[in-house]
Amino acid sequence: LFFVMYAIGCVIFKEQGFAKTQNFLNLFISNAGLIVIGVGMTTVMITGGIDISVGSFVAMACMMLAWMMERAQIGAVPAVLIVLVTGIVFGLVQGFLVAYMDIQPFIVTLAGMFFARGMTAIISKDMISITNETFMAWAKAKIYLPFGGYVNRKGVMIYPYIYPTVVIALIILILAFIMLRYTKFGRSIYAVGGNEQSALMMGLNVRRIKLKAYVLDGFLCGVGSILFCLNTLGGFVEQAKGLEMDAISAAVIGGTLLSGGVGTPFGTLFGVLIKGTISSLITAQGTLSSWWVRIVLSALLCFFIVIQSVLASAKKKK
């Protein structure tokens, strides 16, 4: 679906530069944070859970980074470390409530969503722009690629580029894939999501596995928040609203079952790229509202959920 959509865009909007290498790389640049958050969401959904607090956590983390660096004059490195620790603690608390208190993941993460959004407003109701030199240097650092260049009107060769955020996102994606596919913990996550009762009978500690999955989700959400903030360079209360739905839809479109037991990080990557392609197509078209991204994404989400249901029913009958 991604390749078909992108190919159509290259044909229809060739004059607007849709087929340029840089336009393709921009899909990764603008969605680096979402890729990492989507990987964490995929891990939790494979266990049969869900996390709808990620968008609010991103807003809180961005506000924390902005407030610490601009108001408290804390360095960029300590501020980043504090956000990462906050993500781990956030995941630990939610994971404990889900795994050991047997509270529904939707209810726990709904409370987490309200808490994080409220804390964002407590930290500051005003928008805070980040001007920290170190953080700005991270945000503006470019990695030029030795291919895909073109000569501009002045006769200068322009090479495409990516930011370090893309490299970090792809490294995390690969590590998550290796972890889920080749480690005991990864296989245990699939086992718990596939059939919790069978996992118990196999001798797996289901509660501990669920807790670890949510802690990993919290950590990845912290990393994703930092990458997101490197793109926005600021924090405000309404930031990242609806990001949790983007992460969930990317995972589902990428093949992760809502019932658990099935899913891959690379599938989620393509879910994110599909969302980015829809946004690019609507931007290139020029006359449609940006809200059409949500409309098309919701239609695709419904379509893939129906396909999942049909395939699951067919497999059950077989």
Side-chain angles (χ1 to χ4, degrees), residues 154-176:
K154 295 181 179 180
V156 179
M157 177 63 76
I158 304 296
Y159 287 100
Y161 61 86
I162 57 172
Y163 290 104
T165 53
V166 177
V167 178
I168 294 169
L170 294 179
I171 289 173
I172 288 175
L173 182 80
I174 294 168
L175 291 176

Side-chain angles (χ1 to χ4, degrees), residues 45-276:
M45 288 177 67
I46 290 172
T47 67
I50 200 165
D51 185 359
I52 62 171
S53 68
V54 294
S56 297
F57 182 86
V58 169
M60 182 178 75
C62 288
M63 185 65 84
M64 286 173 63
L65 287 168
W67 186 88
M68 284 188 287
M69 285 186 276
E70 298 304 315
R71 302 285 172 85
Q73 297 301 310
I74 297 174
V77 174
V80 165
L81 292 176
I82 289 170
V83 166
L84 291 177
V85 172
T86 303
I88 293 171
V89 172
F90 207 79
L92 183 64
V93 172
Q94 294 194 139
F96 178 80
L97 293 174
V98 170
Y100 288 90
M101 301 299 289
D102 292 323
I103 305 174
Q104 286 293 322
F106 182 84
I107 300 301
V108 171
T109 56
L110 180 67
M113 180 180 75
F114 289 140
F115 173 80
R117 190 67 66 176
M119 283 303 299
T120 306
I122 293 294
I123 296 169
S124 177
K125 293 180 182 178
D126 302 319
M127 179 178 176
I128 303 176
S129 297
I130 296 174
T131 57
N132 180 279
E133 291 184 4
T134 304
F135 201 78
M136 292 282 285
W138 293 347
K140 293 180 179 180
K142 291 181 180 180
I143 302 172
Y144 287 93
L145 304 180
F147 57 85
Y150 67 95
V151 179
N152 65 9
R153 294 177 181 177
K154 295 181 179 180
V156 179
M157 177 63 76
I158 304 296
Y159 287 100
Y161 61 86
I162 57 172
Y163 290 104
T165 53
V166 177
V167 178
I168 294 169
L170 294 179
I171 289 173
I172 288 175
L173 182 80
I174 294 168
L175 291 176
F177 174 78
I178 294 171
M179 181 272 294
L180 286 170
R181 183 155 185 157
Y182 298 108
T183 68
K184 180 182 177 181
F185 173 57
R187 293 193 295 271
S188 298
I189 288 175
Y190 282 106
V192 169
N195 191 310
E196 193 170 315
Q197 192 63 36
S198 295
L200 281 168
M201 294 175 69
M202 287 165 60
L204 296 176
N205 191 328
V206 172
R207 288 182 172 180
R208 186 184 299 171
I209 292 165
K210 282 186 177 182
L211 176 64
K212 288 181 178 179
Y214 275 93
V215 171
L216 178 61
D217 174 52
F219 171 73
L220 291 179
C221 194
V223 176
S225 300
I226 295 163
L227 302 186
F228 189 90
C229 194
L230 284 168
N231 269 347
T232 60
L233 290 175
F236 57 96
V237 176
E238 297 297 313
Q239 196 168 19
K241 232 175 181 180
L243 187 70
E244 60 279 350
M245 294 300 112
D246 289 338
I248 293 169
S249 60
V252 172
I253 291 171
T256 304
L257 289 181
L258 288 168
S259 55
V262 177
T264 66
F266 281 103
T268 302
L269 169 66
F270 278 101
V272 172
L273 293 178
I274 286 170
K275 180 255 179 188

